[in-house]
Amino acid sequence: MARPDTDEEVWRYSRIGELDLDRYAPLKRQRATQTVVQRDLSAFGEMSAVVVIRNGWIVEATASSDAVDAGLYAGPVGDAPDGESLLGAAVDVPVDLFGHLNRAFGPEPLAVVVPDGVRLGAPVVVVVLTDGDGAAVFPRVLVRVGADASADVVELHTSTKVDALVAPVLEATVGRDGHLRHALVQELGPRVWQLGHQAFQVEKSGRLEAFAAGLGGDYARTRTDCRLVGRGADGRLAAAYYGEDDQTLDFRTFQDHAAPDTTSTLLFKGALDGESRSVYTGLIRVRPEAVRTVAHQTNRNVKLSSDAWAESVPNLEIETDDVVCSHASTVSPVDEDQRFFLESRGVPTVAAERLLLEGFFEDVAAASPHPAVAAMLRDALADRLDRRDALADGASGSAGEGAA
Amino acid sequence: MGDERVLRIEGLCARVGEAEILHGVDLEVRPGEVHAVMGPNGSGKSTLSHVLMGRPGYEVTGGSVTLDGVDLLALPTWQRARAGLFLALQHPTEVPGVSLESVVAEATRQSGEEPGESTHDVHDVLVREASRIGFDKRFLARPLNVDLSGGEKKRNETLMLGALGRSYAVLDEIDSGLDVDALAAVSRRIQEATDEDGLGVLAITHFSRLLDVLEPDRVHVLAAGRIQAVGGPELAERLEAEGYAGVLAEAGASVGLPAGVTHPGDDGHDAGFGEDPFADPLA
Ligand SMILES: Nc1ncnc2c1ncn2[C@@H]1O[C@H](COP(=O)(O)OP(=O)(O)O)[C@@H](O)[C@H]1O
Ligand SMILES: [Mg+2]
């Protein structure tokens, strides 16, 4: 497998040339430690299962007895019912070098299996932690939501302040009339490189709602494939991202319509501060058999500093008639008219921008599968806006409003 | 001088982009007074309102504005608001994801106060204000002005005017888009604010119906970037019946050209009408 290169379209605008793979090495089997789960999961309330993956290795997997009784399996794929069939269910051939590395070097994948007809009342929460300095980490999660089944699966990707490479893969299939609500909250540390791939495949009349928050990492790239392979399948993708300092956040999305009467919507929204950069490239592909497709794609970026940079590249590839497709993309500073309107009411400039940014992300937050995930996004946003306010106070010598 | 309570606009000249729009506007509004500003489309009424509030893109090229002695033009927009000025926009801005309630909470938050500290009070005030103008309180939590009708936006503006309790309000066509009942409720609320709280009002309007309730102390005719005529409430009725041409001709103004005009000398205030220190340089 050749090393990726920015001459290739899918790697255009990426920082792949800076990556020195030789600096990282996979780690041996990991154990759970007391300090592994630093994140407080209490906001989720009741959970169907909690899994901890440390440096790629499953170190803990606990399901509630209710969920187990209902038929949920959450654990190593080797012990999963019909586990073999999960491998490659949504990705037959890895899409890039990092997918290949994940298969070659990844420890045993996690399987989450929700059998036909089972509707989980509480989320499955997967903590994907990286805390090995110099580690090359290859987590792989396989999700199957059966026919008429429904589940919420939340992945929390975090790290300590290590220098590491993480290449996670998610393969998720949604059966006939099934419903998967998936969330990925990425809060990696500032020195981590992430190159991830999520692949969703939705069968007849199945529904997918996928939410992502891209917050951390030095360079964090996520490729998302949503393949609608059965008649009437529906995929809804929403993401929020926020870049600070010299972070690069890179998203590649594929809304792939391969059956008639399929529908997809995509809403990706980002704010870029400091010298951060974002890349969004999205493709809506409508295959010849996918008549009466309805597909929409929206990417909006707010530049919070003149040194920030956002690239947005929407694409359509339509191979049949009788479709409704749209795409919209914007890169702009905070809306001057909106800010003026709030200021005209007496809202200080900094507070006005804050309200507008919170408002900007509100529709994406509302699309998250669980209130705890929405709260995480809002908290992360508040932290970033606090840092931004502190910088503004420092820079302006605090004219007018003092720092609280 | 500093103690004098008045919103005083003197010789205000302003430019939007390359275009000089205001050519020396003089106006004074005192607490409890209602001043109507009428004028043909494009005469600079909205420009005046934006310049007073410091909207980006509007550049003051001459004159002064003071609010109770405070030099308004030296302040950023939000401080003008907190100094006591309210502007109801002709076209209120839609703000996705931000509720009216959160805006008013931030607009009234004092420096050092934690967010949310006074949200209870704000909520109570807003609910009361909504009922005063017969407005459904579900609008308080909705994204501000998004997908609202023109009339609903104007009621949002009125609601915020009532809740924020500023000293002077510039109302840019607050009556446009309102149905008869809403217009009655909105005009009544503004009238009460002038009576109860001594709100000084500068109401830009095309219609005398608003003025039937508000009973303006003075009616000013703005054309070609200047006040061309001033009169009592009867002037508004005459304008509505006859249009602007007659009144402006009598005042010696030629609409569309900012030529030097004779100002009506006697308007009841000694604001310096009759002399024009900012005579148009092109005239
Ligand atoms: N942003 C702008 N750029 C250039 N010209 C403008 C702008 N806004 C307003 N104008 C012009 O200024 C003049 C006054 O406009 P406005 O103040 O909106 O009038 P009114 O409110 O009295 O109808 C008009 O000729 C209008 O075309
Ligand atoms: Mg106007």
Side-chain angles (χ1 to χ4, degrees), chain B residues 183-184 187-189 191 208-216:
Chain B
L183 176 59
S187 337
R188 197 181 329 111
R189 180 66 190 91
Q191 166 60 31
S208 59
R209 190 174 279 151
L210 174 75
L211 304 177
D212 289 344
V213 180
L214 282 188
E215 297 175 352

Side-chain angles (χ1 to χ4, degrees), chain A residues 217-241:
Chain A
D218 175 2
Y219 174 81
R221 171 188 172 100
T222 305
R223 169 176 168 148
T224 303
D225 285 75
C226 174
R227 289 194 70 206
L228 304 170
V229 298
R231 179 185 290 268
D234 178 41
R236 299 176 197 188
L237 310 175
Y241 47 96

